[in-house]
Amino acid sequence: AARCVLRWAGGGGGSGSVCSGGESSGAGTGTAAALREQGNALYKAGQYAEALRLYSQAVGAEPRNGALHGNRAACWMMLGKYERAVADCSEGLRHEAGSELGKLRGRQATALTRLGKLDRAADVLQQGALRGGEHAEALGAQLRSVKGLQASLAVGRQALEEGAFGKAKRCALEVAGGGVSEDPEVWLLLARAHLSLGEHVEAAREAQKAIALDADTLDAYTLRADALVGMGLAEKAMRLLRDGLQRDPDNEAAAAALRRLKRKAAGHARVREELQEAFRLRRFEAAAALCAEGLRLDSDDKRLAAGFYADRAKAYQLLARSRARGETRREREDAAAAKLGGGGGGGGGGSP
């Protein structure tokens, strides 16, 4: 015969039944039912962590009760622990043979959808719908929804490859809005579409979501870095790539992106220094040429590009004023050099 003892859980957790030598006893079942009832009340009140604790005690008292695993899975989902929810549903399906089967399948499929495991979610729902029962219609509707998400994801990926970035963006938004919230690949698809459309802020935001879901997804680091550069945040982009390379030092894409940014940063620093000197010596033609060089270095960095455009306009404006006064280039540059107390300064020779 089964032997059960009552064991105090501690920490205000109440008591639980531990059985050995056979099935759960009537006392264990009664304890599990009471714990489940208390857990239900806490769940309805939105106290999911506390409800989870009580459901776990109920599972310990009656581990072969599939409905209890389903209750705990619901808590895991509300707490954002979808992998744990999937595991609890799988365990529940091993033991449950009654009306709870449909609920468990639907709940498991929802968790799998959140994780982006759409093929597996479809299989779970297909099995449930084919078995019939009171939940068959609901499972069939859920299955159609999952298949719709699969189709949208496939279309979005194809659209991105074909350069239809607006279409790719719409499809990715449909998938994310349809419940696939924990799959970094979906956020990467959306981020790539945003970036290709020049929507740098949105691309950086969605790439960050992918990083938050999987910090080892180096593609998200390089994509977010590109978006940050487009926002004029090259230094931040380089810091991000360094962080990514600490996780995967051998990732060539991230390393190459970091090298490119370093070269661009060095080139911009040189051009800026020479541009400042050109303005100081009133070499406005040279200043305009340096601005054009700076734009060629990286026209995607909007902040830097805006600075070079502004400086080029300034150079042309100063040049026009100088010519309106009748100054020759040599007179202008010689006057600037004399004012600075330094001969010709390389601006076309000194005064004769």
Side-chain angles (χ1 to χ4, degrees):
R3 180 173 62 86
C4 295
V5 296
L6 197 64
R7 182 172 66 191
W8 182 253
S15 59
S17 174
V18 179
C19 299
S20 62
E23 298 292 331
S24 299
S25 69
T29 301
T31 300
L35 289 166
R36 184 187 189 188
E37 187 174 340
Q38 295 173 48
N40 288 345
L42 289 169
Y43 183 91
K44 290 176 181 177
Q47 300 179 40
Y48 304 117
E50 288 300 306
L52 177 70
R53 181 175 59 82
L54 291 173
Y55 287 143
S56 293
Q57 289 181 25
V59 169
E62 197 177 349
R64 296 186 182 183
N65 186 327
L68 294 176
H69 288 280
N71 290 137
R72 189 165 66 177
C75 278
W76 284 128
M77 290 179 67
M78 297 307 294
L79 294 168
K81 305 293 185 182
Y82 299 104
E83 292 283 5
R84 302 292 294 270
V86 170
D88 249 331
C89 287
S90 293
E91 187 66 18
L93 288 168
R94 288 181 57 224
H95 303 300
E96 187 60 46
S99 62
E100 292 290 329
L101 271 174
K103 291 182 181 179
L104 282 166
R105 291 186 191 280
R107 191 164 290 159
Q108 185 179 45
T110 298
L112 289 166
T113 298
R114 290 282 187 185
L115 294 167
K117 299 179 179 181
L118 299 177
D119 290 345
R120 188 176 167 192
D123 288 342
V124 169
L125 293 166
Q126 184 76 46
Q127 292 172 20
L130 289 174
R131 286 176 180 270
E134 62 178 302
H135 298 292
E137 185 176 347
L139 292 175
Q142 191 174 353
L143 176 59
R144 289 190 291 274
S145 176
V146 168
K147 287 184 175 180
L149 293 174
Q150 289 176 306
S152 292
L153 188 57
V155 170
R157 287 170 172 162
Q158 183 66 29
L160 189 70
E161 291 181 6
E162 295 174 353
F165 304 125
K167 185 176 182 179
K169 172 183 168 181
R170 289 192 298 274
C171 289
L173 286 170
E174 286 176 9
V175 175
V180 186
S181 61
E182 307 300 306
D183 183 1
E185 290 302 319
V186 170
W187 298 114
L188 277 176
L189 173 62
L190 183 54
R192 290 189 179 102
H194 278 306
L195 187 62
S196 299
L197 292 168
E199 298 167 352
H200 300 105
V201 174
E202 293 83 356
R205 181 186 64 219
E206 308 307 354
Q208 182 57 44
K209 290 179 182 177
I211 294 171
L213 289 169
D214 185 357
D216 293 325
T217 304
L218 267 291
D219 283 351
Y221 287 80
T222 54
L223 201 157
R224 179 170 163 80
D226 287 341
L228 290 171
V229 169
M231 295 163 61
L233 301 172
E235 287 293 330
K236 188 173 182 179
M238 286 191 283
R239 289 196 299 270
L240 178 69
L241 289 170
R242 292 188 187 102
D243 289 343
L245 286 168
Q246 287 182 351
R247 293 183 173 276
D248 183 4
D250 297 324
N251 188 282
E252 182 53 36
L258 181 58
R259 288 194 297 271
R260 286 195 301 272
L261 283 179
K262 285 181 176 178
R263 287 195 298 270
K264 288 178 181 178
H268 283 137
R270 174 188 59 78
V271 169
R272 275 289 168 202
E273 184 177 351
E274 293 180 10
L275 182 60
Q276 184 179 9
E277 181 71 2
F279 274 123
R280 193 173 69 92
L281 296 174
R282 302 186 70 199
R283 299 174 182 169
F284 302 136
E285 295 88 350
L290 285 165
C291 289
E293 181 181 350
L295 288 168
R296 286 194 298 272
L297 284 172
D298 187 9
S299 59
D300 291 333
D301 190 326
K302 303 305 181 186
R303 184 176 296 182
L304 283 171
F308 283 126
Y309 280 124
D311 281 334
R312 186 167 65 178
K314 176 184 174 182
Y316 285 139
Q317 184 181 51
L318 292 172
L319 181 60
R321 289 177 182 175
S322 174
R323 288 173 176 171
R325 291 193 295 268
E327 290 180 325
T328 65
R329 174 177 176 177
R330 180 165 185 162
E331 288 172 342
R332 169 174 26 94
E333 294 180 1
D334 285 350
K339 184 177 180 180
L340 294 170
S351 301

